[in-house]
Amino acid sequence: MSSPEIASLSWGQMKVKGCSTTYKDCKVWPGGSRTWDWRETGTNHSPGVQPADLEEVIKKGVKTIVIGRGMSEALQVPPSTVDYLKKNGIDVLVLQTEKAVAEYNALAAQGVKVGGVFHSTC
């Protein structure tokens, strides 16, 4: 199963190819996507992305995770989260969201088992 292409990104809106939903923040993995609801794990801009935000994506068998920190990179990614991924044998890229989406799409197009979490505003 391949990772779906992110078809479009603009402030506060993301579309994933093959999905009719418009996301504000989203999670993607080989074969699927869904809204990334920060309330599920109590995520805020600081301290930022927690391992709990990534567990669902990891369970889909990804080898690489791309984290989009927002258009202005307001969303933090603590070193403990990066360490958590590396300890689980997962490569991680933490980038500004437009760059993150471009990198994610490039990896997906190469057939990499890539997942991601993307914040589409600040």
Side-chain angles (χ1 to χ4, degrees), residues 37-111:
D37 182 350
W38 290 15
R39 292 172 295 191
E40 292 173 1
T41 56
T43 297
N44 288 297
H45 287 102
S46 181
V49 182
Q50 303 301 306
D53 294 307
L54 304 168
E55 285 174 0
E56 177 181 16
V57 178
I58 291 168
K59 287 177 183 171
K60 305 294 184 180
V62 299
K63 301 295 179 215
T64 302
I65 288 185
V66 181
I67 300 173
R69 294 189 49 211
M71 299 302 210
S72 304
E73 298 185 86
L75 178 61
Q76 301 300 303
V77 181
S80 58
T81 297
V82 173
D83 291 344
Y84 168 80
L85 291 167
K86 289 182 177 174
K87 283 179 185 158
N88 281 284
I90 296 167
D91 294 327
V92 59
L93 297 165
V94 179
L95 300 163
Q96 185 267 355
T97 295
E98 289 161 310
K99 292 176 180 154
V101 165
E103 189 65 31
Y104 167 88
N105 280 341
L107 290 166
Q110 293 167 24

Side-chain angles (χ1 to χ4, degrees), residues 2-3 7 12 17-19 26 49 54 61 67 96 101 105 114-115 117:
S2 61
S3 299
K17 192 173 185 176
C19 179
C26 76
V49 182
L54 304 168
I67 300 173
Q96 185 267 355
V101 165
N105 280 341
V114 62
V117 294

